[in-house]
């Protein structure tokens, strides 16, 4: 039988939730009118009409919940579809201090060596390992130079991400702004693990070569899938010179025409000194 009832919520003990979450759940369900239908019960994602979850829908829902601009940028450069998903995930964990660096191990009672494996000088912490360490700082400086972006480097990873600009919106290489920071964090974390667990290492110049190749592969593969409305700015033109290997897929019909058309409007820029 179908009908609307006011449900009496009583038993939550077997859900294994913490007390404060049970209280919130009870509050949310009180006086909730429940419609009983004939369909089987199932789990749905409430953020969409279809009830199906996807990363994009998750991102949209979080974005719509009134987060501050600073938080929006963190969401964007960790969870945007142009990021490498595992790189975005590790960057997100780093931003929330959830990567197991040795300073956290120490707080948990670990008493072994806790030196940063990149410089072997200072105790390892998220901000040191992923930003202020000389090794990491060189990598960030390289990346910013590669993006033609020069401004003071903040002293924490989260400040770096919050200050990260997404410029050149709607142009060909906008994805570089979006995908690059998480890729850098991910490669730094892998380099740290390479040194600890494989007793092998790359110099920072070798790591930046690797980061560049990874970003180019990511951006190119994105173009292969999304090749509409390509437009090129002067910045994009510069990026083509700096990131050898970035390519506009030649097989796209309208997109290529649009890109060439826009390029004709670009002024020639003299190459940078050096
Ligand atoms: Zn260090």
């Amino acid at each position: 039988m179908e009908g609307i009832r006011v449900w009496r919520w009583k038993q939550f003990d077997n859900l294994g939730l913490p007390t404060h979450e049970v209280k919130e759940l009870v509050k949310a369900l009180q006086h909730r009118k429940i419609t009983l239908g004939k369909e089987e019960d199932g789990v749905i994602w409430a953020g969409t009409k279809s009830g199906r979850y996807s990363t994009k829908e998750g991102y949209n829902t979080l974005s719509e919940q009134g987060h501050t601009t600073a938080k929006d940028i963190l969401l964007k450069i960790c969870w945007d579809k142009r990021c490498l998903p595992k790189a975005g995930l590790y960057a997100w964990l780093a931003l929330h201090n959830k990567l197991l660096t040795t300073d956290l191990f120490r707080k948990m009672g670990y008493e072994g060596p806790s030196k940063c494996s990149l410089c072997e000088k200072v105790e390892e912490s998220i901000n040191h390992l992923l930003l202020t360490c000389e090794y990491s700082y060189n990598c960030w400086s390289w990346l910013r130079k590669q993006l033609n972006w020069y401004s003071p480097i903040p002293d924490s990873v989260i400040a770096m991400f919050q200050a990260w600009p997404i410029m050149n919106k709607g142009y060909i290489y906008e994805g570089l702004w979006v995908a690059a920071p998480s890729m850098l964090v991910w490669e730094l974390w892998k380099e740290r693990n390479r040194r600890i667990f494989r007793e092998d290492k790359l110099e920072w110049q070798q790591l930046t070569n690797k980061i560049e190749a990874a970003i180019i592969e990511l951006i190119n593969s994105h173009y292969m899938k999304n090749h509409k409305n390509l437009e090129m700015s002067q910045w994009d033109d510069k990026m083509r010179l700096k990131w050898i290997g970035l390519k506009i897929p030649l097989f796209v019909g309208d997109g290529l025409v649009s890109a060439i058309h826009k390029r004709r409007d670009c002024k020639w820029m003299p190459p940078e000194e050096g």
Side-chain angles (χ1 to χ4, degrees):
M1 253 178 73
E2 292 194 16
I4 296 175
R5 302 180 189 174
V6 177
W7 201 264
R8 290 200 185 127
W9 304 96
K10 286 180 185 169
Q11 301 292 331
F12 292 102
D13 298 344
N14 55 357
L15 292 177
L17 295 171
T19 321
H20 68 279
E21 286 186 14
V22 170
K23 274 187 189 166
E24 277 179 33
L25 185 59
V26 171
K27 209 168 137 193
L29 292 174
Q30 265 173 356
H31 312 300
R32 175 72 52 104
K33 286 180 180 166
I34 304 293
T35 308
L36 294 178
K38 288 173 185 166
E39 305 87 20
E40 288 273 307
D41 287 347
V43 178
I44 62 158
W45 171 252
T48 57
K49 279 183 187 165
S50 72
R52 278 194 294 274
Y53 176 79
S54 68
T55 316
K56 187 183 166 201
E57 294 299 347
Y59 171 79
N60 287 343
T61 305
L62 284 169
S63 306
E64 285 162 11
Q65 286 176 354
H67 291 276
T68 62
T69 313
K71 199 151 190 177
D72 283 345
I73 188 70
L74 301 188
L75 287 167
K76 178 100 181 155
I77 50 184
C78 291
W79 299 111
D80 190 280
K81 63 185 173 190
R82 286 164 291 187
C83 297
L84 185 71
K86 59 190 169 188
L89 172 66
Y90 272 84
W92 186 255
L93 291 174
L95 293 171
H96 292 81
N97 217 13
K98 291 284 197 287
L99 289 182
L100 277 180
T101 41
T102 46
D103 61 328
L104 291 184
F105 267 130
R106 193 174 278 281
K107 284 180 193 161
M108 292 154 76
Y110 166 76
E111 289 181 355
S114 67
K115 287 263 155 65
C116 162
S117 53
L118 302 181
C119 67
E120 295 172 350
K121 289 178 189 162
V122 184
E123 184 179 50
E124 186 185 82
S125 67
I126 287 285
N127 285 328
H128 175 81
L129 180 75
L130 299 178
L131 180 64
T132 57
C133 179
E134 194 183 352
Y135 185 102
S136 315
Y137 197 90
N138 284 335
C139 294
W140 280 105
S141 301
W142 163 84
L143 177 62
R144 291 153 55 101
K145 200 170 167 212
Q146 281 294 100
L147 292 170
N148 239 28
W149 181 45
Y150 304 91
S151 69
I153 292 188
D155 57 4
S156 72
V157 183
I158 195 154
M160 172 68 99
F161 272 61
Q162 283 171 338
W164 195 260
I166 304 292
M167 294 201 270
N168 306 87
K169 283 203 170 87
Y171 290 100
I172 286 184
Y173 297 135
E174 181 201 338
L176 276 176
W177 291 111
V178 177
S182 61
M183 190 68 92
L184 178 53
V185 164
W186 165 237
E187 288 293 345
L188 284 170
W189 181 250
K190 284 201 295 181
E191 176 60 20
R192 177 252 192 204
N193 291 341
R194 183 180 294 117
R195 290 172 182 229
I196 294 174
F197 302 115
R198 288 167 43 191
E199 295 180 1
D200 193 8
K201 66 176 187 180
L202 297 176
E203 298 304 325
W204 73 265
Q205 294 92 339
Q206 293 173 298
L207 192 75
T208 53
N209 286 343
K210 204 163 173 285
I211 294 168
E212 183 173 351
I215 292 174
I216 285 173
E217 190 184 339
L218 190 65
I219 298 294
N220 281 342
S221 77
H222 181 71
Y223 294 144
M224 297 295 171
K225 288 182 226 144
N226 305 279
H227 42 69
K228 286 178 191 158
N229 306 320
L230 295 179
E231 288 189 36
M232 185 169 273
S233 65
Q234 287 187 16
W235 178 80
D236 292 271
D237 241 7
K238 279 187 189 173
M239 293 304 104
R240 277 165 72 87
L241 298 176
K242 278 184 187 268
W243 299 75
I244 315 277
L246 278 180
K247 58 173 185 259
I248 306 166
L250 294 176
F251 55 82
V252 297
D254 293 347
L256 183 64
V257 172
S258 158
I260 288 171
H261 177 72
K262 285 290 168 187
R263 288 196 67 194
R264 257 190 236 131
D265 300 336
C266 294
K267 285 182 193 137
W268 181 81
M269 299 289 287
E272 284 178 20
E273 282 179 33

